[in-house]
Amino acid sequence: MAGIDYTTLIPNNVKLHENRRLQRALEDWQPKFLEWWQDMGPTGFQTKDVYLRTAISVDAQGWAKFGYTRMPDYRWGIFLAEPEPGRLVNFGDHKGQPAWQEVPGEYRGTLRRLIVTQGDTEPASVEQQRHLGRTCPSLYDLRNLFQVNVEEGRHLWAMVYILDAHFGRDGREESEALLQRRSGDADKPRILGAFNEKTPDWLSFFMFCFFTDRDGKYQLASLAESGFDPLSQTCRFMLTEEAHHMFVGETGIMRIVQRACELMREHKTDDVRKHGGIDLRTIQRYLNFHCSVSVDLFGSEISTNAANFYTAGLKGRFEETKKQDDHLLKEATYTVAELDGDRIVMREEPALVSLNERLRDDYVADCARGVARWNEVIKKHGIDFELRLPHRAFHRAIGSFAEARVAPDGRVISQAEWDTKHHDWLPTEEDKAYIESLMQPVTEPGKFAHWIAPPARGINGQPVDFEYVRLA
Ligand code: BYC
């Protein structure tokens, strides 16, 4: 594969200059993207120099360079991971056939829908986060926010490339529509629930990066298994960038937890609000909210859509090729949590229709590892408190638990109990007002808001007090 060509209007490693029609389509879309970025991207800061990383190669070693860039000058482009010679469709009815380089006609609509759904989340998250710059807890965090934002912008490019390159006129129309829907808009909302929620403060932002970006990891990993090779190559490179977003979320929450613990120890109280910290119970309520809306992103427990995606060879399981089974799953079963009256029971279901739940299991296990690392911090401070993932049936809007009322510990409860207790489980208006009151910008290099501990180290070997965003 060619290296990334930065001499052209659209940086790419797909030899764009050899396909004039596609080049024209993307060059036509580019100013619309920039207009969207100006209108719906980060508020303010567009003329400031930000210490950003830019992809320069798709080689896992040394794939990025760091330097000051104004966000609108970021070189958004099209980067596909190296092709695997002789790659096959690895699962479903077409297993063993050569991977498709063109869209198989019979799956055109389904594939387009999957790509559009993935693509829609990218600009949505930028829209959700657009006001956060004004209340950054430090220049370090401000830079991380913008890094996440420009890379989500690039992930939009990644999906638009596939749409324009492989779906003709329909693809171009979908590319336009991706710039027209708006997160939270009543008339033209983003496609998936979590991407219409607000991200009004930095606690929500870090939770979003931890929980919702992690859905991105699992969905992209499943699409990276696709028999449609261009989608696989695109998603493989997106995953490289995604890892940083989850790092931002995990370390962000860890630093908030650490500050809470420091204040608890220093003042010998659980009520660290009096001392300008975020108490662990509030962190738990935000965790419950972001976990539950992200768990919804995996779709229904029993889904014929998921079965069809798999059988068609379009969307696999997490680490499909590492699994030791027939990769057809026609006879297999999988254990799924289901509602049975006022209890949640585990039942064997056909594996094919249970694929959403299986991916959700992989996701929940990964989330639990992160939460355990936060709990290590609490334990190190000698504090008797554990953050917990809520039960997967808690506060659901999609799937078989959507109609049920379930406590974070998995007990099915009455509407009356929910009404009296949900304030203990989800962020209250008072919580939101308190968190909002903490959101005061800190922009002096090396200084951090009181409610969050500094990071252990800076970005790319730079010191923590480096001028990550030049505001002057
Ligand atoms: N909200 O059989 P069902 C990321 C719809 S995040 C609203 O239950 P299916 C990122 C569903 O579309 C990763 N609607 O589910 C993170 C379907 O509607 P249609 C995003 C929902 O189809 C942070 C109907 O309900 N990527 O990258 O098996 C920052 C019944 O569907 C929701 C993808 O999601 C919901 N939560 O699976 C930036 C991958 N859930 O089609 C970026 C692509 C379901 O009948 N998408 N519905 O009108 C997919 O694989 C599937 O569409 C889903 C749903 C897993 C989302």
Side-chain angles (χ1 to χ4, degrees), residues 113-114 117-118 121-122 125 152 191-193 195 208 212-213 215-216 219 296-300 303 305-306 309 315 356 398:
R113 177 81 186 154
L114 272 174
T117 306
Q118 176 63 50
T121 63
E122 317 291 359
S125 67
E152 299 302 7
I191 297 170
L192 298 174
F195 294 91
F208 182 97
T212 310
D213 278 277
D215 169 52
Q219 298 295 345
D296 265 341
L297 290 172
F298 290 81
S300 306
S303 165
N305 284 351
F309 299 154
K315 182 181 175 193
N356 284 343
I398 300 283

PDB file of all heavy atoms in Angstrom, residues 113-114 117-118 121-122 125 152 191-193 195 208 212-213 215-216 219 296-300 303 305-306 309 315 356 398, ligand 1:
ATOM      1  N   ARG A 113     -26.471   0.665   5.524  1.00  0.00           N
ATOM      2  CA  ARG A 113     -27.088   1.039   6.804  1.00  0.00           C
ATOM      3  C   ARG A 113     -26.073   0.924   7.956  1.00  0.00           C
ATOM      4  O   ARG A 113     -25.985   1.791   8.825  1.00  0.00           O
ATOM      5  CB  ARG A 113     -28.294   0.115   7.038  1.00  0.00           C
ATOM      6  CG  ARG A 113     -29.005   0.312   8.341  1.00  0.00           C
ATOM      7  CD  ARG A 113     -29.965   1.466   8.288  1.00  0.00           C
ATOM      8  NE  ARG A 113     -30.534   1.721   9.605  1.00  0.00           N
ATOM      9  CZ  ARG A 113     -30.986   2.894  10.004  1.00  0.00           C
ATOM     10  NH1 ARG A 113     -30.956   3.932   9.194  1.00  0.00           N
ATOM     11  NH2 ARG A 113     -31.485   3.047  11.202  1.00  0.00           N
ATOM     12  N   LEU A 114     -25.302  -0.158   7.953  1.00  0.00           N
ATOM     13  CA  LEU A 114     -24.291  -0.347   9.005  1.00  0.00           C
ATOM     14  C   LEU A 114     -23.244   0.764   8.960  1.00  0.00           C
ATOM     15  O   LEU A 114     -22.850   1.312   9.992  1.00  0.00           O
ATOM     16  CB  LEU A 114     -23.568  -1.688   8.798  1.00  0.00           C
ATOM     17  CG  LEU A 114     -24.166  -2.928   9.430  1.00  0.00           C
ATOM     18  CD1 LEU A 114     -23.391  -4.165   8.998  1.00  0.00           C
ATOM     19  CD2 LEU A 114     -24.146  -2.815  10.950  1.00  0.00           C
ATOM     20  N   THR A 117     -24.724   4.063  10.110  1.00  0.00           N
ATOM     21  CA  THR A 117     -24.910   4.092  11.570  1.00  0.00           C
ATOM     22  C   THR A 117     -23.574   4.346  12.261  1.00  0.00           C
ATOM     23  O   THR A 117     -23.482   5.162  13.192  1.00  0.00           O
ATOM     24  CB  THR A 117     -25.524   2.760  12.070  1.00  0.00           C
ATOM     25  OG1 THR A 117     -26.712   2.509  11.323  1.00  0.00           O
ATOM     26  CG2 THR A 117     -25.858   2.808  13.541  1.00  0.00           C
ATOM     27  N   GLN A 118     -22.543   3.660  11.809  1.00  0.00           N
ATOM     28  CA  GLN A 118     -21.211   3.898  12.377  1.00  0.00           C
ATOM     29  C   GLN A 118     -20.788   5.354  12.122  1.00  0.00           C
ATOM     30  O   GLN A 118     -20.363   6.055  13.041  1.00  0.00           O
ATOM     31  CB  GLN A 118     -20.190   2.924  11.747  1.00  0.00           C
ATOM     32  CG  GLN A 118     -18.753   3.151  12.193  1.00  0.00           C
ATOM     33  CD  GLN A 118     -18.577   2.932  13.688  1.00  0.00           C
ATOM     34  OE1 GLN A 118     -18.987   1.917  14.237  1.00  0.00           O
ATOM     35  NE2 GLN A 118     -18.001   3.910  14.369  1.00  0.00           N
ATOM     36  N   THR A 121     -22.217   8.351  14.302  1.00  0.00           N
ATOM     37  CA  THR A 121     -21.783   8.565  15.689  1.00  0.00           C
ATOM     38  C   THR A 121     -20.613   9.540  15.769  1.00  0.00           C
ATOM     39  O   THR A 121     -20.417  10.188  16.793  1.00  0.00           O
ATOM     40  CB  THR A 121     -21.334   7.235  16.342  1.00  0.00           C
ATOM     41  OG1 THR A 121     -20.204   6.719  15.640  1.00  0.00           O
ATOM     42  CG2 THR A 121     -22.444   6.214  16.324  1.00  0.00           C
ATOM     43  N   GLU A 122     -19.831   9.626  14.697  1.00  0.00           N
ATOM     44  CA  GLU A 122     -18.573  10.390  14.757  1.00  0.00           C
ATOM     45  C   GLU A 122     -18.846  11.898  14.849  1.00  0.00           C
ATOM     46  O   GLU A 122     -18.412  12.539  15.812  1.00  0.00           O
ATOM     47  CB  GLU A 122     -17.673  10.050  13.556  1.00  0.00           C
ATOM     48  CG  GLU A 122     -17.599   8.548  13.200  1.00  0.00           C
ATOM     49  CD  GLU A 122     -16.859   7.711  14.224  1.00  0.00           C
ATOM     50  OE1 GLU A 122     -16.381   8.278  15.221  1.00  0.00           O
ATOM     51  OE2 GLU A 122     -16.754   6.474  14.028  1.00  0.00           O
ATOM     52  N   SER A 125     -20.611  12.893  18.200  1.00  0.00           N
ATOM     53  CA  SER A 125     -19.834  13.080  19.435  1.00  0.00           C
ATOM     54  C   SER A 125     -19.145  14.444  19.440  1.00  0.00           C
ATOM     55  O   SER A 125     -19.020  15.075  20.482  1.00  0.00           O
ATOM     56  CB  SER A 125     -18.827  11.943  19.622  1.00  0.00           C
ATOM     57  OG  SER A 125     -17.829  11.998  18.637  1.00  0.00           O
ATOM     58  N   GLU A 152     -12.374  12.088  15.753  1.00  0.00           N
ATOM     59  CA  GLU A 152     -13.749  11.677  15.416  1.00  0.00           C
ATOM     60  C   GLU A 152     -14.110  12.263  14.045  1.00  0.00           C
ATOM     61  O   GLU A 152     -14.798  11.619  13.254  1.00  0.00           O
ATOM     62  CB  GLU A 152     -14.762  12.128  16.469  1.00  0.00           C
ATOM     63  CG  GLU A 152     -14.549  11.575  17.885  1.00  0.00           C
ATOM     64  CD  GLU A 152     -14.537  10.058  18.010  1.00  0.00           C
ATOM     65  OE1 GLU A 152     -14.573   9.363  16.982  1.00  0.00           O
ATOM     66  OE2 GLU A 152     -14.468   9.569  19.149  1.00  0.00           O
ATOM     67  N   ILE A 191     -28.649   8.948  14.880  1.00  0.00           N
ATOM     68  CA  ILE A 191     -29.385   7.688  14.769  1.00  0.00           C
ATOM     69  C   ILE A 191     -29.514   6.959  16.115  1.00  0.00           C
ATOM     70  O   ILE A 191     -30.597   6.497  16.468  1.00  0.00           O
ATOM     71  CB  ILE A 191     -28.723   6.770  13.709  1.00  0.00           C
ATOM     72  CG1 ILE A 191     -28.801   7.433  12.333  1.00  0.00           C
ATOM     73  CG2 ILE A 191     -29.380   5.386  13.683  1.00  0.00           C
ATOM     74  CD1 ILE A 191     -27.977   6.745  11.245  1.00  0.00           C
ATOM     75  N   LEU A 192     -28.424   6.865  16.869  1.00  0.00           N
ATOM     76  CA  LEU A 192     -28.441   6.046  18.094  1.00  0.00           C
ATOM     77  C   LEU A 192     -28.630   6.900  19.349  1.00  0.00           C
ATOM     78  O   LEU A 192     -28.103   8.025  19.427  1.00  0.00           O
ATOM     79  CB  LEU A 192     -27.142   5.241  18.205  1.00  0.00           C
ATOM     80  CG  LEU A 192     -26.886   4.235  17.075  1.00  0.00           C
ATOM     81  CD1 LEU A 192     -25.505   3.614  17.211  1.00  0.00           C
ATOM     82  CD2 LEU A 192     -27.958   3.148  17.033  1.00  0.00           C
ATOM     83  N   GLY A 193     -29.335   6.305  20.327  1.00  0.00           N
ATOM     84  CA  GLY A 193     -29.754   7.035  21.521  1.00  0.00           C
ATOM     85  C   GLY A 193     -28.649   7.826  22.218  1.00  0.00           C
ATOM     86  O   GLY A 193     -28.764   9.040  22.419  1.00  0.00           O
ATOM     87  N   PHE A 195     -26.065   9.110  21.410  1.00  0.00           N
ATOM     88  CA  PHE A 195     -25.469  10.226  20.670  1.00  0.00           C
ATOM     89  C   PHE A 195     -26.411  11.427  20.565  1.00  0.00           C
ATOM     90  O   PHE A 195     -26.086  12.414  19.909  1.00  0.00           O
ATOM     91  CB  PHE A 195     -24.975   9.748  19.293  1.00  0.00           C
ATOM     92  CG  PHE A 195     -23.848   8.772  19.459  1.00  0.00           C
ATOM     93  CD1 PHE A 195     -24.086   7.418  19.555  1.00  0.00           C
ATOM     94  CD2 PHE A 195     -22.549   9.226  19.597  1.00  0.00           C
ATOM     95  CE1 PHE A 195     -23.052   6.515  19.782  1.00  0.00           C
ATOM     96  CE2 PHE A 195     -21.510   8.347  19.820  1.00  0.00           C
ATOM     97  CZ  PHE A 195     -21.760   6.990  19.907  1.00  0.00           C
ATOM     98  N   PHE A 208     -18.160   9.507  29.025  1.00  0.00           N
ATOM     99  CA  PHE A 208     -18.481   9.221  27.631  1.00  0.00           C
ATOM    100  C   PHE A 208     -17.283   8.532  26.956  1.00  0.00           C
ATOM    101  O   PHE A 208     -17.437   7.524  26.269  1.00  0.00           O
ATOM    102  CB  PHE A 208     -18.825  10.532  26.906  1.00  0.00           C
ATOM    103  CG  PHE A 208     -19.224  10.375  25.467  1.00  0.00           C
ATOM    104  CD1 PHE A 208     -20.564  10.334  25.099  1.00  0.00           C
ATOM    105  CD2 PHE A 208     -18.270  10.262  24.457  1.00  0.00           C
ATOM    106  CE1 PHE A 208     -20.939  10.182  23.768  1.00  0.00           C
ATOM    107  CE2 PHE A 208     -18.636  10.111  23.127  1.00  0.00           C
ATOM    108  CZ  PHE A 208     -19.973  10.076  22.780  1.00  0.00           C
ATOM    109  N   THR A 212     -18.728   5.168  26.147  1.00  0.00           N
ATOM    110  CA  THR A 212     -19.314   5.208  24.801  1.00  0.00           C
ATOM    111  C   THR A 212     -18.242   4.967  23.736  1.00  0.00           C
ATOM    112  O   THR A 212     -18.468   4.235  22.776  1.00  0.00           O
ATOM    113  CB  THR A 212     -20.081   6.531  24.604  1.00  0.00           C
ATOM    114  OG1 THR A 212     -20.963   6.701  25.720  1.00  0.00           O
ATOM    115  CG2 THR A 212     -20.885   6.521  23.335  1.00  0.00           C
ATOM    116  N   ASP A 213     -17.059   5.549  23.932  1.00  0.00           N
ATOM    117  CA  ASP A 213     -15.982   5.234  22.987  1.00  0.00           C
ATOM    118  C   ASP A 213     -15.627   3.748  23.024  1.00  0.00           C
ATOM    119  O   ASP A 213     -15.175   3.185  22.032  1.00  0.00           O
ATOM    120  CB  ASP A 213     -14.734   6.075  23.272  1.00  0.00           C
ATOM    121  CG  ASP A 213     -14.859   7.459  22.647  1.00  0.00           C
ATOM    122  OD1 ASP A 213     -14.563   7.591  21.447  1.00  0.00           O
ATOM    123  OD2 ASP A 213     -15.292   8.382  23.342  1.00  0.00           O
ATOM    124  N   ASP A 215     -17.791   1.368  23.354  1.00  0.00           N
ATOM    125  CA  ASP A 215     -18.723   0.730  22.412  1.00  0.00           C
ATOM    126  C   ASP A 215     -18.109   0.832  21.022  1.00  0.00           C
ATOM    127  O   ASP A 215     -18.113  -0.129  20.258  1.00  0.00           O
ATOM    128  CB  ASP A 215     -20.105   1.398  22.438  1.00  0.00           C
ATOM    129  CG  ASP A 215     -20.983   0.925  21.281  1.00  0.00           C
ATOM    130  OD1 ASP A 215     -21.117  -0.308  21.130  1.00  0.00           O
ATOM    131  OD2 ASP A 215     -21.495   1.762  20.519  1.00  0.00           O
ATOM    132  N   GLY A 216     -17.539   2.023  20.721  1.00  0.00           N
ATOM    133  CA  GLY A 216     -16.874   2.201  19.430  1.00  0.00           C
ATOM    134  C   GLY A 216     -15.817   1.133  19.197  1.00  0.00           C
ATOM    135  O   GLY A 216     -15.747   0.526  18.134  1.00  0.00           O
ATOM    136  N   GLN A 219     -17.655  -2.207  18.445  1.00  0.00           N
ATOM    137  CA  GLN A 219     -18.355  -2.206  17.152  1.00  0.00           C
ATOM    138  C   GLN A 219     -17.338  -2.172  16.005  1.00  0.00           C
ATOM    139  O   GLN A 219     -17.476  -2.894  15.015  1.00  0.00           O
ATOM    140  CB  GLN A 219     -19.303  -1.008  17.044  1.00  0.00           C
ATOM    141  CG  GLN A 219     -20.424  -0.992  18.081  1.00  0.00           C
ATOM    142  CD  GLN A 219     -21.408  -2.141  17.953  1.00  0.00           C
ATOM    143  OE1 GLN A 219     -21.455  -2.844  16.943  1.00  0.00           O
ATOM    144  NE2 GLN A 219     -22.204  -2.350  18.981  1.00  0.00           N
ATOM    145  N   ASP A 296     -26.998   0.170  25.919  1.00  0.00           N
ATOM    146  CA  ASP A 296     -28.082   0.184  24.925  1.00  0.00           C
ATOM    147  C   ASP A 296     -27.561   0.169  23.487  1.00  0.00           C
ATOM    148  O   ASP A 296     -28.259  -0.258  22.563  1.00  0.00           O
ATOM    149  CB  ASP A 296     -28.927   1.457  25.100  1.00  0.00           C
ATOM    150  CG  ASP A 296     -30.158   1.228  25.964  1.00  0.00           C
ATOM    151  OD1 ASP A 296     -30.558   0.064  26.126  1.00  0.00           O
ATOM    152  OD2 ASP A 296     -30.709   2.230  26.445  1.00  0.00           O
ATOM    153  N   LEU A 297     -26.354   0.679  23.290  1.00  0.00           N
ATOM    154  CA  LEU A 297     -25.832   0.809  21.913  1.00  0.00           C
ATOM    155  C   LEU A 297     -25.577  -0.540  21.239  1.00  0.00           C
ATOM    156  O   LEU A 297     -25.300  -0.590  20.049  1.00  0.00           O
ATOM    157  CB  LEU A 297     -24.521   1.608  21.923  1.00  0.00           C
ATOM    158  CG  LEU A 297     -24.669   3.090  22.245  1.00  0.00           C
ATOM    159  CD1 LEU A 297     -23.316   3.743  22.426  1.00  0.00           C
ATOM    160  CD2 LEU A 297     -25.448   3.789  21.130  1.00  0.00           C
ATOM    161  N   PHE A 298     -25.644  -1.609  22.012  1.00  0.00           N
ATOM    162  CA  PHE A 298     -25.414  -2.932  21.416  1.00  0.00           C
ATOM    163  C   PHE A 298     -26.683  -3.517  20.810  1.00  0.00           C
ATOM    164  O   PHE A 298     -26.655  -4.588  20.227  1.00  0.00           O
ATOM    165  CB  PHE A 298     -24.796  -3.875  22.460  1.00  0.00           C
ATOM    166  CG  PHE A 298     -23.379  -3.474  22.793  1.00  0.00           C
ATOM    167  CD1 PHE A 298     -23.126  -2.448  23.688  1.00  0.00           C
ATOM    168  CD2 PHE A 298     -22.304  -4.074  22.150  1.00  0.00           C
ATOM    169  CE1 PHE A 298     -21.824  -2.042  23.958  1.00  0.00           C
ATOM    170  CE2 PHE A 298     -21.008  -3.674  22.408  1.00  0.00           C
ATOM    171  CZ  PHE A 298     -20.760  -2.651  23.310  1.00  0.00           C
ATOM    172  N   GLY A 299     -27.817  -2.813  20.970  1.00  0.00           N
ATOM    173  CA  GLY A 299     -29.060  -3.280  20.364  1.00  0.00           C
ATOM    174  C   GLY A 299     -29.751  -4.336  21.220  1.00  0.00           C
ATOM    175  O   GLY A 299     -29.343  -4.609  22.351  1.00  0.00           O
ATOM    176  N   SER A 300     -30.791  -4.948  20.651  1.00  0.00           N
ATOM    177  CA  SER A 300     -31.591  -5.929  21.401  1.00  0.00           C
ATOM    178  C   SER A 300     -30.802  -7.199  21.675  1.00  0.00           C
ATOM    179  O   SER A 300     -29.961  -7.591  20.864  1.00  0.00           O
ATOM    180  CB  SER A 300     -32.833  -6.322  20.606  1.00  0.00           C
ATOM    181  OG  SER A 300     -33.543  -5.171  20.250  1.00  0.00           O
ATOM    182  N   SER A 303     -31.734 -10.513  18.288  1.00  0.00           N
ATOM    183  CA  SER A 303     -31.812  -9.629  17.129  1.00  0.00           C
ATOM    184  C   SER A 303     -31.596 -10.398  15.828  1.00  0.00           C
ATOM    185  O   SER A 303     -30.531 -10.987  15.615  1.00  0.00           O
ATOM    186  CB  SER A 303     -30.740  -8.535  17.270  1.00  0.00           C
ATOM    187  OG  SER A 303     -30.555  -7.879  16.050  1.00  0.00           O
ATOM    188  N   ASN A 305     -31.509  -8.844  13.050  1.00  0.00           N
ATOM    189  CA  ASN A 305     -30.561  -8.007  12.301  1.00  0.00           C
ATOM    190  C   ASN A 305     -29.140  -8.525  12.505  1.00  0.00           C
ATOM    191  O   ASN A 305     -28.384  -8.701  11.551  1.00  0.00           O
ATOM    192  CB  ASN A 305     -30.570  -6.554  12.819  1.00  0.00           C
ATOM    193  CG  ASN A 305     -31.775  -5.774  12.355  1.00  0.00           C
ATOM    194  OD1 ASN A 305     -32.530  -6.249  11.524  1.00  0.00           O
ATOM    195  ND2 ASN A 305     -31.951  -4.569  12.881  1.00  0.00           N
ATOM    196  N   ALA A 306     -28.791  -8.736  13.796  1.00  0.00           N
ATOM    197  CA  ALA A 306     -27.427  -9.172  14.119  1.00  0.00           C
ATOM    198  C   ALA A 306     -27.129 -10.511  13.447  1.00  0.00           C
ATOM    199  O   ALA A 306     -26.041 -10.723  12.900  1.00  0.00           O
ATOM    200  CB  ALA A 306     -27.256  -9.264  15.622  1.00  0.00           C
ATOM    201  N   PHE A 309     -26.544  -9.858   9.754  1.00  0.00           N
ATOM    202  CA  PHE A 309     -25.227  -9.245   9.488  1.00  0.00           C
ATOM    203  C   PHE A 309     -24.148 -10.328   9.490  1.00  0.00           C
ATOM    204  O   PHE A 309     -23.238 -10.328   8.662  1.00  0.00           O
ATOM    205  CB  PHE A 309     -24.847  -8.214  10.564  1.00  0.00           C
ATOM    206  CG  PHE A 309     -25.773  -7.026  10.699  1.00  0.00           C
ATOM    207  CD1 PHE A 309     -25.885  -6.342  11.909  1.00  0.00           C
ATOM    208  CD2 PHE A 309     -26.524  -6.574   9.615  1.00  0.00           C
ATOM    209  CE1 PHE A 309     -26.724  -5.244  12.050  1.00  0.00           C
ATOM    210  CE2 PHE A 309     -27.378  -5.469   9.757  1.00  0.00           C
ATOM    211  CZ  PHE A 309     -27.473  -4.811  10.974  1.00  0.00           C
ATOM    212  N   LYS A 315     -20.630  -8.403   9.471  1.00  0.00           N
ATOM    213  CA  LYS A 315     -20.191  -7.965  10.803  1.00  0.00           C
ATOM    214  C   LYS A 315     -19.948  -9.211  11.653  1.00  0.00           C
ATOM    215  O   LYS A 315     -20.865 -10.006  11.852  1.00  0.00           O
ATOM    216  CB  LYS A 315     -21.278  -7.075  11.431  1.00  0.00           C
ATOM    217  CG  LYS A 315     -20.908  -6.520  12.787  1.00  0.00           C
ATOM    218  CD  LYS A 315     -22.037  -5.667  13.385  1.00  0.00           C
ATOM    219  CE  LYS A 315     -21.678  -5.221  14.791  1.00  0.00           C
ATOM    220  NZ  LYS A 315     -22.818  -4.661  15.510  1.00  0.00           N
ATOM    221  N   ASN A 356     -25.659  -9.714  19.504  1.00  0.00           N
ATOM    222  CA  ASN A 356     -25.539  -8.401  20.171  1.00  0.00           C
ATOM    223  C   ASN A 356     -25.186  -8.592  21.643  1.00  0.00           C
ATOM    224  O   ASN A 356     -24.364  -7.863  22.197  1.00  0.00           O
ATOM    225  CB  ASN A 356     -26.858  -7.624  20.084  1.00  0.00           C
ATOM    226  CG  ASN A 356     -27.095  -7.037  18.702  1.00  0.00           C
ATOM    227  OD1 ASN A 356     -26.165  -6.940  17.901  1.00  0.00           O
ATOM    228  ND2 ASN A 356     -28.330  -6.654  18.432  1.00  0.00           N
ATOM    229  N   ILE A 398     -33.472   0.141  25.243  1.00  0.00           N
ATOM    230  CA  ILE A 398     -33.478  -0.735  24.071  1.00  0.00           C
ATOM    231  C   ILE A 398     -33.440  -2.181  24.562  1.00  0.00           C
ATOM    232  O   ILE A 398     -32.736  -2.487  25.522  1.00  0.00           O
ATOM    233  CB  ILE A 398     -32.207  -0.472  23.208  1.00  0.00           C
ATOM    234  CG1 ILE A 398     -32.144   0.978  22.706  1.00  0.00           C
ATOM    235  CG2 ILE A 398     -32.063  -1.473  22.064  1.00  0.00           C
ATOM    236  CD1 ILE A 398     -33.048   1.323  21.545  1.00  0.00           C
TER     237      ILE A 398
HETATM  238  N1  BYC B   1     -30.548   3.728  19.793  1.00  0.00           N
HETATM  239  O1  BYC B   1     -32.006  -5.653  16.302  1.00  0.00           O
HETATM  240  P1  BYC B   1     -31.758  -4.349  16.965  1.00  0.00           P
HETATM  241  C1  BYC B   1     -18.602   4.828  18.082  1.00  0.00           C
HETATM  242  C2  BYC B   1     -32.354   0.264  16.466  1.00  0.00           C
HETATM  243  S1  BYC B   1     -19.876   3.932  18.778  1.00  0.00           S
HETATM  244  C3  BYC B   1     -31.441   3.878  18.796  1.00  0.00           C
HETATM  245  O2  BYC B   1     -32.074  -4.176  18.382  1.00  0.00           O
HETATM  246  P2  BYC B   1     -29.259  -4.204  15.678  1.00  0.00           P
HETATM  247  C4  BYC B   1     -18.238   6.081  18.734  1.00  0.00           C
HETATM  248  C5  BYC B   1     -31.609  -0.422  15.333  1.00  0.00           C
HETATM  249  O3  BYC B   1     -30.830   0.504  14.568  1.00  0.00           O
HETATM  250  C6  BYC B   1     -20.128   2.579  17.684  1.00  0.00           C
HETATM  251  N2  BYC B   1     -31.827   2.864  17.979  1.00  0.00           N
HETATM  252  O4  BYC B   1     -30.278  -3.893  16.835  1.00  0.00           O
HETATM  253  C7  BYC B   1     -18.224   6.212  20.113  1.00  0.00           C
HETATM  254  C8  BYC B   1     -32.754  -1.029  14.559  1.00  0.00           C
HETATM  255  O5  BYC B   1     -33.337  -0.024  13.744  1.00  0.00           O
HETATM  256  P3  BYC B   1     -33.727  -0.346  12.222  1.00  0.00           P
HETATM  257  C9  BYC B   1     -21.180   2.826  16.634  1.00  0.00           C
HETATM  258  C10 BYC B   1     -31.296   1.648  18.200  1.00  0.00           C
HETATM  259  O6  BYC B   1     -29.716  -3.622  14.406  1.00  0.00           O
HETATM  260  C11 BYC B   1     -17.894   7.415  20.683  1.00  0.00           C
HETATM  261  C12 BYC B   1     -33.768  -1.378  15.648  1.00  0.00           C
HETATM  262  O7  BYC B   1     -33.412  -0.582  16.797  1.00  0.00           O
HETATM  263  N3  BYC B   1     -21.187   1.769  15.659  1.00  0.00           N
HETATM  264  O8  BYC B   1     -18.064   4.437  17.112  1.00  0.00           O
HETATM  265  O9  BYC B   1     -28.841  -5.618  15.736  1.00  0.00           O
HETATM  266  C13 BYC B   1     -17.583   8.517  19.900  1.00  0.00           C
HETATM  267  C14 BYC B   1     -33.743  -2.828  16.054  1.00  0.00           C
HETATM  268  O10 BYC B   1     -32.408  -3.225  16.089  1.00  0.00           O
HETATM  269  C15 BYC B   1     -30.367   1.417  19.230  1.00  0.00           C
HETATM  270  C16 BYC B   1     -22.174   0.897  15.481  1.00  0.00           C
HETATM  271  O11 BYC B   1     -23.182   0.940  16.141  1.00  0.00           O
HETATM  272  C17 BYC B   1     -30.003   2.521  20.065  1.00  0.00           C
HETATM  273  N4  BYC B   1     -29.130   2.389  21.072  1.00  0.00           N
HETATM  274  O12 BYC B   1     -28.001  -3.406  16.276  1.00  0.00           O
HETATM  275  C18 BYC B   1     -17.615   8.392  18.521  1.00  0.00           C
HETATM  276  C19 BYC B   1     -21.939  -0.171  14.456  1.00  0.00           C
HETATM  277  N5  BYC B   1     -30.041   0.100  19.202  1.00  0.00           N
HETATM  278  O13 BYC B   1     -32.425  -0.637  11.514  1.00  0.00           O
HETATM  279  C20 BYC B   1     -17.916   7.188  17.927  1.00  0.00           C
HETATM  280  C21 BYC B   1     -22.984  -0.230  13.418  1.00  0.00           C
HETATM  281  C22 BYC B   1     -30.730  -0.456  18.206  1.00  0.00           C
HETATM  282  O14 BYC B   1     -34.639  -1.521  12.322  1.00  0.00           O
HETATM  283  N6  BYC B   1     -24.322  -0.506  13.930  1.00  0.00           N
HETATM  284  N7  BYC B   1     -31.472   0.467  17.601  1.00  0.00           N
HETATM  285  O15 BYC B   1     -34.369   0.946  11.775  1.00  0.00           O
HETATM  286  C23 BYC B   1     -24.760  -1.725  14.283  1.00  0.00           C
HETATM  287  O16 BYC B   1     -24.038  -2.697  14.254  1.00  0.00           O
HETATM  288  C24 BYC B   1     -26.201  -1.869  14.690  1.00  0.00           C
HETATM  289  O17 BYC B   1     -26.918  -0.903  14.000  1.00  0.00           O
HETATM  290  C25 BYC B   1     -26.469  -1.695  16.201  1.00  0.00           C
HETATM  291  C26 BYC B   1     -27.931  -2.088  16.459  1.00  0.00           C
HETATM  292  C27 BYC B   1     -25.508  -2.545  17.019  1.00  0.00           C
HETATM  293  C28 BYC B   1     -26.343  -0.252  16.661  1.00  0.00           C
END
